[in-house]
Amino acid sequence: MQLAVAEKSRGNKKYINCIRHLMEALPYENESSIIKEAKLNTRYILPICQSLFDNFCDNASVCFNLVNENNYESEVSQLEISSRRPDGNITVTTDNDARTIGFFEAKSMAESKNHKLINIDLIRLGIFSKNSIDMHNLKSVLAVQAVGSYLTFYLVRKMSGDMNIMIELDHVRFPMSINELPTIFGFSDIILDILHILENECENLENNTAIVATTRKTIRSPLMRSLVVKSTDRKRKNPNKNYYE
């Protein structure tokens, strides 16, 4: 019971810290111009993810980074769709080790109807997560996909040596201005649940160890490319994500 209360308290502190960071970073009103991906990540997404995911303590530190550079997990990827690097990651660093326990991909709201790019990002998240699970013998990795201020959270879990599953946990539309800030209170339970899953399933490295050490190779690029339609149809609905359209 005391452990559950302590975990809830940590989640509440992060949630309050997120609101404080948004109050400092957000403009008073929504911007009328199109927000491009670079500005979306640095002005809007970074305050959200750093305040929710960063956790520094004596024996380990958890840090969200907007890296957009090759890390070890992405370098060994067989995926040749776009570049082999995530937009961001979540790392756990201890005295003796550093592991990636989360990956992040983003597209601006202007690309919300470009289903090809959105779905490629989703595949990339799965590839990066599987590589990290295989390399570090992890059980679970968190994957976050942003389309504008809509963030979708996934848990990639190793079920056996032959199968990994990618579960959609939930999605949250974060505010883009101070005027929209009250909308975040309606998602408090969802945010706290996701923080609880991250802490218990991913951050705790003693608990986040796969029982089965054997792995299968990641599907290579030719088959991956066949999963994504080459043409871009902005009128056709995306069966994977409709709530941000």
Side-chain angles (χ1 to χ4, degrees), residues 15 41 76 93 102 141 153 157 172 176 178 189 191 205 228:
Y15 174 67
N41 288 341
V76 301
T93 305
V141 167
F153 300 88
R157 168 165 285 190
V172 177
M176 297 287 284
I178 297 297
D189 289 343
I191 295 172
L205 296 182
V228 181

Side-chain angles (χ1 to χ4, degrees), residues 4 81 111:
I81 302 175
E111 300 288 353

Side-chain angles (χ1 to χ4, degrees), residues 3-53:
L3 179 61
V5 172
E7 289 177 353
K8 186 175 181 180
S9 177
R10 285 194 293 269
N12 287 335
K13 288 180 180 178
K14 287 185 176 183
Y15 174 67
I16 294 172
N17 194 36
C18 177
I19 295 175
R20 180 175 65 83
H21 277 74
L22 287 174
M23 292 178 66
E24 295 173 351
L26 292 179
Y28 187 76
E29 296 180 345
N30 287 18
E31 296 189 34
S32 56
S33 58
I34 296 175
I35 300 174
K36 295 185 178 181
E37 185 177 324
K39 185 175 182 179
L40 172 71
N41 288 341
T42 56
R43 179 71 184 271
Y44 297 92
I45 301 297
L46 188 62
I48 295 169
C49 291
Q50 282 189 335
S51 57
L52 291 178
F53 299 146

Side-chain angles (χ1 to χ4, degrees), residues 98-212:
R99 303 183 186 185
T100 307
I101 61 165
F103 292 94
F104 169 80
E105 288 287 341
K107 285 289 178 287
S108 69
M109 201 61 193
E111 300 288 353
S112 63
K113 294 187 182 298
N114 192 329
H115 305 148
K116 178 182 176 181
L117 293 181
I118 300 296
N119 291 339
I120 286 176
D121 274 359
L122 189 60
I123 294 174
R124 282 157 50 84
L125 285 172
I127 294 293
F128 294 144
S129 299
K130 180 188 178 299
N131 285 341
S132 188
I133 287 173
D134 292 347
M135 290 173 51
H136 303 300
N137 195 31
L138 299 177
K139 182 170 62 177
S140 302
V141 167
L142 186 74
V144 184
Q145 183 178 30
V147 180
S149 64
Y150 290 85
L151 270 63
T152 306
F153 300 88
Y154 300 89
L155 187 70
V156 181
R157 168 165 285 190
K158 183 174 185 176
M159 305 301 293
S160 68
D162 296 326
M163 182 173 67
N164 294 269
I165 62 173
M166 190 171 186
I167 310 164
E168 181 177 336
L169 301 175
D170 220 317
H171 56 269
V172 177
R173 192 230 185 240
F174 283 89
M176 297 287 284
S177 66
I178 297 297
N179 284 341
E180 292 184 348
L181 193 59
T183 60
I184 196 174
F185 297 114
F187 297 105
S188 59
D189 289 343
I190 295 175
I191 295 172
L192 292 175
D193 286 344
I194 291 169
L195 291 177
H196 176 78
I197 292 171
L198 173 66
E199 183 169 348
N200 288 275
E201 299 294 332
C202 303
E203 289 183 17
N204 187 343
L205 296 182
E206 293 182 359
N207 184 48
N208 191 9
T209 302
I211 298 175
V212 181

